[in-house]
Amino acid sequence: MFNTWKPMWVVLLEDGIEFYKRKSDNSPKGMIPLKGSTINSPCQDFGKRMFVFKLTAAKQQDHFFQASYLEERDAWVRDIKKAIQCIDGGQRFARKSTRKSIRLPETINLSALYLSMKDPEKGIKELKLEKDKKVFNHCFTGTAVIDWLVSSNSIRNRKEGLMLASSLLNEGYLQPAGDTSKAAAEGLSDTPFLDLSDAYYYFPDSGFFCEGNSSDDDVVLKEEFRGMIVKQGCLLKQGHRRKNWKVRKFVLREDPAYLHYYDPAGGEDPLGAIHLRGCVVTAVEDMPDSKKYDVENNLFEIITASEVHYYLQAASSAERTEWIKAIQTVARTGK
């Protein structure tokens, strides 16, 4: 009605799509019936927005959705199409969960495993790799993932590693980079994940980009730092593993939408990056262990499209508001 874009938690049912303001909400904000609906992807109605698809309901109402990355959009479109086909054919649609289809043990915590894999000291090392005249930055090989799972005692053998890595891939904790790994993820191989040295993968909020690729529908193209600086300054950032807080210099860029953070003492290379496309950023008044570290005021939280949470603290309430507005703008308009 108001032609505005807002992040929503979306649930695909067998006969419709429900959308919620937050994942924890009990009641949906709305529902789109799928009977008689059509889906169009890719949708080019919005020139600056990537990974958009259009769902036209039976009453000819258009609903536009933007995914965080190409594979996520294609997965949504594939499942929605299947649900519509099931309705037309009088069948029941049910998307099997990754955990059940791969028979993953209930004791496996994929979210905790993902954070361990990203640990700067003990996790998987992100590299610059070259293949087919393309340079893939901030990525790693399928073999490196299985090697890490073995060395961390997460699995007993490489066959189990393939099951676990496939689950991480299907749930969005890993993303394929390059034709080989993308083809496997799309079902053109015996397993979604490949234990190969020429199959590349990356973390969804790692700052991955590919040089030498002219595709309009790939993730982050050419140079990661080409975007204009929107805002920069020092903030307190909570570490993911040790939960301690450190001062970091943050640089917010648009197109592509990244928030890079650096050692304030100097250094040209960033310590890390937060991918903002599809993220949600809000002010928070309290958080776990905030009193322990004496960081009780001017906090705000960034939740990425892959549901990774970042807690930051500004120097004042006004500065917090400025950062939130700037990040929201970049997340909405940047690629």
Side-chain angles (χ1 to χ4, degrees), residues 5 11 25 112 195 253 310:
W5 291 83
V11 177
D25 289 353
D195 181 7
R253 298 177 185 270
Y310 294 88

Side-chain angles (χ1 to χ4, degrees), residues 250-292:
F250 283 83
V251 177
L252 176 62
R253 298 177 185 270
E254 63 176 2
D255 189 30
Y258 278 96
L259 181 61
H260 291 92
Y261 50 94
Y262 302 77
D263 185 341
E268 295 182 359
D269 296 328
L271 299 174
I274 303 172
H275 198 181
L276 300 177
R277 188 177 63 230
C279 80
V280 176
V281 55
T282 55
V284 292
E285 300 307 321
D286 195 11
M287 57 163 291
D289 294 331
S290 59
K291 293 183 179 180
K292 176 180 177 181

Side-chain angles (χ1 to χ4, degrees), residues 5-8 66-68 72 205 252 257-259 274-282 301-310 323-324 326-332 334:
W5 291 83
K6 292 184 178 180
M8 291 284 181
Q66 181 183 25
S68 300
E72 183 187 41
D205 60 345
L252 176 62
Y258 278 96
L259 181 61
I274 303 172
H275 198 181
L276 300 177
R277 188 177 63 230
C279 80
V280 176
V281 55
T282 55
E301 178 184 19
I302 299 173
I303 307 175
T304 68
S306 56
E307 291 195 62
V308 179
H309 294 241
Y310 294 88
W323 274 106
I324 290 175
I327 292 171
Q328 287 175 335
T329 300
V330 170
R332 184 173 63 251

Side-chain angles (χ1 to χ4, degrees), residues 76-227:
W76 274 101
V77 171
R78 182 173 60 249
D79 283 342
I80 293 173
K81 281 183 177 179
K82 183 179 178 182
I84 294 173
Q85 290 170 357
C86 287
I87 293 173
D88 294 340
Q91 299 173 322
R92 180 165 183 163
F93 168 73
R95 183 179 184 271
K96 293 181 179 179
S97 72
T98 298
R99 185 175 291 276
K100 291 181 180 179
S101 62
I102 299 182
R103 300 189 298 278
L104 195 65
E106 294 296 334
T107 54
I108 296 291
N109 186 328
L110 294 180
S111 179
L113 182 63
Y114 168 74
L115 293 179
S116 297
M117 294 171 75
K118 289 198 64 180
D119 183 84
E121 297 177 1
K122 299 181 180 180
I124 298 174
K125 303 302 180 186
E126 298 177 67
L127 306 170
K128 178 184 288 188
L129 302 172
E130 187 172 352
K131 182 183 179 183
D132 299 331
K133 298 182 179 180
K134 298 175 185 177
V135 179
F136 300 88
N137 297 267
H138 298 286
C139 68
F140 38 83
T141 68
T143 300
V145 173
I146 305 300
D147 287 345
W148 185 89
L149 291 172
V150 171
S151 65
S152 64
N153 296 319
S154 300
I155 54 173
R156 292 175 295 181
N157 52 57
R158 302 189 80 84
K159 185 176 180 181
E160 280 190 1
L162 275 176
M163 292 173 54
L164 186 52
S166 295
S167 182
L168 288 163
L169 181 71
N170 291 344
E171 295 298 330
Y173 291 105
L174 298 176
Q175 293 300 322
D179 296 337
T180 302
S181 56
K182 285 183 178 181
E186 291 170 1
L188 301 181
S189 181
D190 292 337
T191 58
F193 188 91
L194 298 175
D195 181 7
L196 298 174
S197 59
D198 63 346
Y200 299 162
Y201 300 89
Y202 65 94
F203 298 122
D205 60 345
S206 65
F208 166 82
F209 67 102
C210 175
E211 297 173 281
N213 192 336
S214 60
S215 169
D216 291 335
D217 236 357
D218 218 326
V219 271
V220 183
L221 310 178
K222 299 178 182 178
E223 294 187 12
E224 181 183 2
F225 306 106
R226 70 179 184 270

